[in-house]
Amino acid sequence: MTPPAALDLDAASSLQVTGAGPARGSLRVPGDKSISHRAVLMAALAHGSSVITGLSRGQDVSHTLRAVERFGVIVTDAGDGRVRVEGPIRHEPDDVLDHGNAGTGIRLTSGVCAGIDGVSVLTGDRFLRRRPMERIAAPLRLMGANVDGRERGNLAPLVIRGGSLTGITYAPKVASAQVKGALLLAGLSAAGPTTVEEVHATRRHTEEMLAEFGARVRVEGSRVTVEPGRLTGTDVSVPGDPSQAAFWAVAALLAEQGEVVVENLYPGFGRSDFVGVLERMGADITFDTTAGTLSVRASRLRAVELTAVDIPGIVDEVPVLAMAAAVAEGTTVISGAGDLRAKESDRIASTAAMLRAFGVKVTETEDGMVIEGASRLRPARVDSHGDHRIAMTAAVAGACAAEGTTVIEGWDSVATSYPRFAEDLVRLTGAGAEPGA
Ligand code: S3P
């Protein structure tokens, strides 16, 4: 079967994958999405110009790029992988900021809007407009911003009137790098320092990048403080996204003789904990953090127990780790993951439904799931529920472990973070991929 052009597959509303065989080969994955959003926003706030290389080209980050243009920031895409952003923000946004499907985009940008003297309206697609915003709205109000929206400010569209902020010390109820990021970005234009104290330390991209842009920022364990101040434009090179590499790691593990190497990954805190989880499951996996190279070989897996302390480090990898658990020996128990119900989809429900479609026995709990392992996967019809990570997990399972044809509905969600995923899938696994029926 000849795969049609990659672009057709990116836009396909459903994808049909015919496997199953091992994933073999080496690749680079798209630029880290978390770092990309932050690079664009900080470059927009900064005085002077910043050149960003390796930016994620998914729709999520494109929405952030278009959003900063609304503030009068000049964005030039050189077309050779470099994007120049000339800050600082010149005025309140001249139109509604549409963040598409991007939770990170809307929440971080809300922090920026809170620091601006003017009014901003932020919205997104039907999935994003269902996701809770109170987690950023409440602390931004404490800092002095006026934040409103549907359901008393919990749902987008959000309307933010910013300016005249005061720094606060805030301990978010949920461990969230998006909340931390929004508050630190707002803190740049507040009077006095802003401190975020996290229940469990989350990814540190905001604090790391604020320092690169010249902000005064202090990290003490899971407590971060930013001083108000001006950012200076700087060049940023975005490494590969570990969360995208996780799909290929599990792909390698799903079929005998699988062997995958992923290069140029971000090696920092809080992003590659899935490697440790797969190691606990018995995987033959190594992550060279100096080179940023991940190497994985097919191995026999065993069940694992994942609790609240594990979740912040694998918050985006639960669907694909659950797929690994489905073929592992024993029963895997995941708990303390209640916030996954507020992701791109209700990720506990959508992961459980996906596993069931492949014939796996799984019981959903309020804050996690119990997965009976050693399953022989059967080809499935899976609904992504608009969630790219469900779609990509189902695609690797269909390509590597379920003999026959798997159909993934809502495939177009993958373009939010990993355009050309289907092309990499075909190259690494030899699976057939075509628009689904
Ligand atoms: C992100 C933080 C996480 C993660 C998301 C990206 C970020 O969300 O799930 O994909 O870039 O800050 P939460 O902060 O809601 O946990």
Side-chain angles (χ1 to χ4, degrees), residues 357-369:
F358 279 103
V360 180
K361 286 205 183 100
V362 53
T363 313
E364 199 182 312
T365 62
E366 205 184 319
D367 67 347
M369 66 194 86

Side-chain angles (χ1 to χ4, degrees), residues 33-35 37-38 104 107-108 131 135 175-179 202-203 205-206 271 315-316 339 342-344 347 388-389:
K33 186 153 73 74
S34 294
I35 296 177
H37 284 296
R38 287 161 174 85
T104 307
R107 293 191 179 121
L108 293 181
R131 296 180 65 184
R135 56 187 63 195
S176 164
Q178 294 176 355
V179 174
T202 61
R203 58 189 74 191
H205 303 306
T206 310
R271 293 303 306 283
V315 67
D316 292 331
D339 205 46
K343 292 289 176 193
E344 285 85 329
R347 245 182 217 162
H388 56 140
R389 300 200 198 276

Side-chain angles (χ1 to χ4, degrees), residues 258-347:
E259 186 165 0
V260 171
V261 173
V262 192
E263 291 164 349
N264 189 41
L265 297 173
Y266 170 77
F269 178 85
R271 293 303 306 283
S272 42
D273 292 13
F274 70 91
V275 174
V277 170
L278 289 171
E279 254 170 8
R280 277 154 68 189
M281 296 177 77
D284 181 352
I285 183 167
T286 51
F287 186 31
D288 173 346
T289 51
T290 311
T293 304
L294 179 73
S295 312
V296 196
R297 275 214 211 128
S299 8
R300 278 180 86 85
L301 299 179
R302 52 180 179 265
V304 68
E305 185 172 350
L306 299 171
T307 62
V309 285
D310 298 300
I311 302 303
I314 53 166
V315 67
D316 292 331
E317 286 75 67
V318 170
V320 79
L321 290 172
M323 187 56 80
V327 300
E329 287 295 326
T331 302
T332 287
V333 181
I334 303 175
S335 62
D339 205 46
L340 293 188
R341 294 200 183 274
K343 292 289 176 193
E344 285 85 329
S345 64
D346 172 343
R347 245 182 217 162

Side-chain angles (χ1 to χ4, degrees), residues 94-181:
D94 60 10
D95 201 351
V96 173
L97 307 176
D98 179 3
H99 288 281
N101 190 250
T104 307
I106 196 170
R107 293 191 179 121
L108 293 181
T109 306
S110 294
V112 171
C113 296
I116 284 169
D117 182 13
V119 71
S120 308
V121 182
L122 303 91
T123 191
D125 69 11
R126 66 195 166 96
F127 301 104
L128 188 60
R129 281 183 275 113
R130 289 206 294 250
R131 296 180 65 184
M133 296 296 148
E134 185 60 19
R135 56 187 63 195
I136 48 139
L140 291 176
R141 280 188 206 114
L142 290 177
M143 293 178 81
N146 207 319
V147 185
D148 208 347
R150 288 185 304 132
E151 299 200 356
R152 298 212 197 97
N154 188 35
L155 297 181
L158 296 178
V159 182
I160 301 180
R161 182 166 280 284
S164 316
L165 303 183
T166 310
I168 55 169
T169 295
Y170 191 74
K173 283 197 210 80
V174 282
S176 164
Q178 294 176 355
V179 174
K180 172 172 64 177

